[in-house]
Amino acid sequence: MRQLSIELSSPEISLALSEGSEIRAYQKGRGLRQHAETLFPMLESILKQVKWERSDLELIAVGTGPGSFTGIRMALTAAKVLAFGLGVKLIGVSGLEIMQEPYRESQLYHLATIDARGGRLYAALWHGEEVLLPEGKYEAETIWAEISNRISGKPLLISGTACEAMVRAQEETRPLTYFVDSHGKGLNAENLAAVAARRADLGQFDSLVELAANYCSLSQAERLRLEAAGQIQKGPLL
């Protein structure tokens, strides 16, 4: 199945073309503010590399977040427009699951992190394919206790953009042994392609209408709107 994978939830934009488990072409670039101007020219460029047309695509995979609100919305919109226009299948994958992909077959306890600023992080704790701590938005100072309760003193790998916040918090508590991969192999279209290919083999496709962003928290504008409507209680913006 010829697949396009789109990952825009970090400052790095990345696209991959693949067939099954084989990556045929991969491109990446930086500059979140330029995603809108970059995405479709990059798509045409990567298609030319493998001499495909858009009509050759059979599956669109997209990273659903958490991460940049703007990047996530843009990626989902582009993926849905392409899937609808081409009449092809669609698969959305959480960014934290994408980050786990390089470690999926290992026995490492892996905390995938995305910086949410202010000592907060989006995170999920994995052991192989098992989720030990569900993805969500956490305080760096309190997540260590949650992790310690789940891995029984085993060494922990931390990857992603919130490593620094985790290390600062750990200096106070020192609950367990850890090592850090702040650069990581993580949040990119190549790893997204691998997750989506497995789901496609299992027939696990997403609805064009129902697939939604995985923010793990509300944006400030959305929270204020819901508070004003009385749909949620007023509280701190996480």
Side-chain angles (χ1 to χ4, degrees):
M1 183 174 287
R2 291 185 170 183
Q3 172 182 320
L4 166 67
S5 299
I6 305 171
E7 172 44 52
L8 306 184
S9 58
S10 77
E12 183 174 87
I13 176 173
S14 63
L15 301 179
L17 293 176
S18 56
E19 284 188 273
S21 61
E22 180 185 356
I23 299 293
R24 296 289 305 276
Y26 176 68
Q27 282 193 14
K28 65 180 180 179
R30 289 192 63 82
L32 183 60
R33 297 181 185 277
Q34 299 175 2
H35 278 8
E37 295 82 4
T38 303
L39 176 57
F40 283 100
M42 186 181 287
L43 172 58
E44 295 307 318
S45 172
I46 198 172
L47 286 169
K48 286 180 181 178
Q49 285 185 37
V50 295
K51 299 181 180 179
W52 291 359
E53 302 291 336
R54 289 193 192 185
S55 57
D56 292 319
L57 297 172
E58 301 168 275
L59 171 65
I60 309 295
V62 61
T64 59
S68 160
F69 287 100
T70 301
I72 295 165
R73 287 194 297 267
M74 192 179 304
L76 279 169
T77 299
K80 288 184 175 187
V81 167
L82 286 167
F84 177 78
L86 297 171
V88 300
K89 302 291 187 180
L90 178 68
I91 291 176
V93 182
S94 158
L96 295 165
E97 183 176 356
I98 295 169
M99 295 174 71
Q100 170 60 10
E101 178 60 22
Y103 310 104
R104 186 178 64 88
E105 296 184 353
S106 77
Q107 292 302 306
L108 290 170
Y109 290 90
H110 172 223
L111 184 75
T113 74
I114 298 171
D115 188 12
R117 300 181 182 178
R120 301 184 181 95
L121 62 149
Y122 306 112
L125 177 64
W126 300 81
H127 185 232
E129 295 186 351
E130 182 182 6
V131 181
L132 301 181
L133 184 67
E135 60 185 44
K137 195 172 189 179
Y138 297 93
E139 297 280 348
E141 292 182 354
T142 59
I143 193 174
W144 278 108
E146 297 279 355
I147 296 167
S148 185
N149 289 336
R150 287 164 171 78
I151 70 174
S152 303
K154 302 290 195 308
L156 173 70
L157 168 67
I158 308 169
S159 75
T161 55
C163 291
E164 184 177 343
M166 288 293 294
V167 169
R168 284 199 305 269
Q170 196 270 351
E171 288 174 353
E172 300 296 326
T173 57
R174 300 190 179 278
L176 47 83
T177 302
Y178 68 92
F179 53 107
V180 170
D181 181 5
S182 58
H183 300 290
K185 304 170 183 178
L187 190 53
N188 59 57
E190 288 182 301
N191 290 328
L192 165 60
V195 178
R198 285 197 307 277
R199 291 194 186 176
D201 287 342
L202 297 172
Q204 297 176 347
F205 302 105
D206 287 300
S207 163
L208 187 70
V209 175
E210 295 177 2
L211 182 62
N214 175 31
Y215 292 128
C216 285
S217 65
L218 298 174
S219 68
Q220 179 172 339
E222 182 67 4
R223 175 173 285 278
L224 292 174
R225 184 186 70 79
L226 293 175
E227 285 178 356
Q231 294 179 260
I232 63 172
Q233 294 182 345
K234 291 186 178 181
L237 295 173
L238 296 180

